[in-house]
Amino acid sequence: MAKVQTVRIDRLLSSMGYGSRSEIAQMAKSGGIRLDGAKLLNVAERIPVTTDLPDRMEIRGEALDPLAGMVVLLNKPLGLTCSHKDDGALVYDILPGRWKLRKPAISTIGRLDKNTSGLLLLTDDGALLHRVISPKRDVKKTYRVTLARPLDGSEGEQFASGLLMLNGESKPLAPADLQVISETDARLTITEGRYHQVRRMFAATGNHVEALHRERLGDLSLPAAMAPGQWTLLREDEIALVFQ
Ligand code: URA
């Protein structure tokens, strides 16, 4: 049987952004940490790192945050940047503040432009992040696109051809699937993640993307009830949908 890893409580909580180790000792002294309902005073104690810890431990009356290996699904609002160090508002600003201090750090899995909304995943699991963005995995990304001008009817064939070349690039795009919804609305599924890819694909056809919203990653859809700015933690079976 695999041995369960143990960790000092102050070290664990500090790596989760709850404060420095001395601040955590202070919080315990004032009764702010509970384990299985009882006040926990000795933060130098080691505890087994098991997935049920967030159900067993309370910090200042709230369940412990998820342990390392978390995956967040966010409905990204317009106007936020997928960067750790941009001057403007960042996607990390709408998540709990202490998460910015977590180690390992939480990062977006791929990026959406500032002016693109919709399904965005974030994780502290580097291996998962690389699996999702790896060009070898061909993870499908589906976008709802609103265009400035009516489609001319040739776009579906151009995008599916595997021959479309983006401005300034030397390798044609992999085939992509276009579903026309109306003269100026479409759903586009791509498997690559080149810079501003969807906007540049329509620019290559002489059109302009007015609004862009990601609806799906693989078979994982953004829940219809999730308002912009809302987020949820994903279970393993939901994460697996990304690779379908
Ligand atoms: N394509 C774009 O142009 N922008 C995005 O945010 C995602 C795909």
Side-chain angles (χ1 to χ4, degrees), residues 144-185:
R144 175 71 190 250
V145 189
T146 306
L147 297 157
R149 291 178 277 285
L151 290 155
D152 69 15
S154 71
E155 296 86 350
E157 212 173 299
Q158 290 190 63
F159 293 168
S161 70
L163 299 171
L164 186 68
M165 199 75 90
L166 292 180
N167 211 353
E169 297 202 2
S170 54
K171 190 173 170 240
L173 290 173
D177 180 63
L178 184 75
Q179 265 178 274
V180 176
I181 298 170
S182 76
E183 273 199 325
T184 53
D185 290 283

Side-chain angles (χ1 to χ4, degrees), residues 111-113 116 143 196-199 212:
R111 289 180 176 207
L112 290 178
D113 307 338
T116 301
Y143 295 86
H196 289 183
Q197 181 168 335
V198 175
R199 295 178 197 276
L212 189 56

Side-chain angles (χ1 to χ4, degrees), residues 126-137:
L128 173 72
L129 188 153
H130 286 108
R131 253 193 298 147
V132 178
I133 65 172
S134 164
K136 290 190 204 120
R137 293 271 175 172

Side-chain angles (χ1 to χ4, degrees), residues 211-224:
L212 189 56
H213 177 80
R214 185 153 69 189
E215 296 180 328
R216 285 164 86 88
L217 257 192
D219 278 352
L220 177 73
S221 298
L222 188 67

Side-chain angles (χ1 to χ4, degrees), residues 7-14 40 42-43 45 47 57:
V7 64
R8 271 179 67 127
I9 291 167
D10 54 359
R11 186 178 288 275
L12 173 72
L13 297 183
S14 183
L40 188 146
N42 179 13
V43 292
E45 207 177 293
I47 44 165
M57 188 175 272

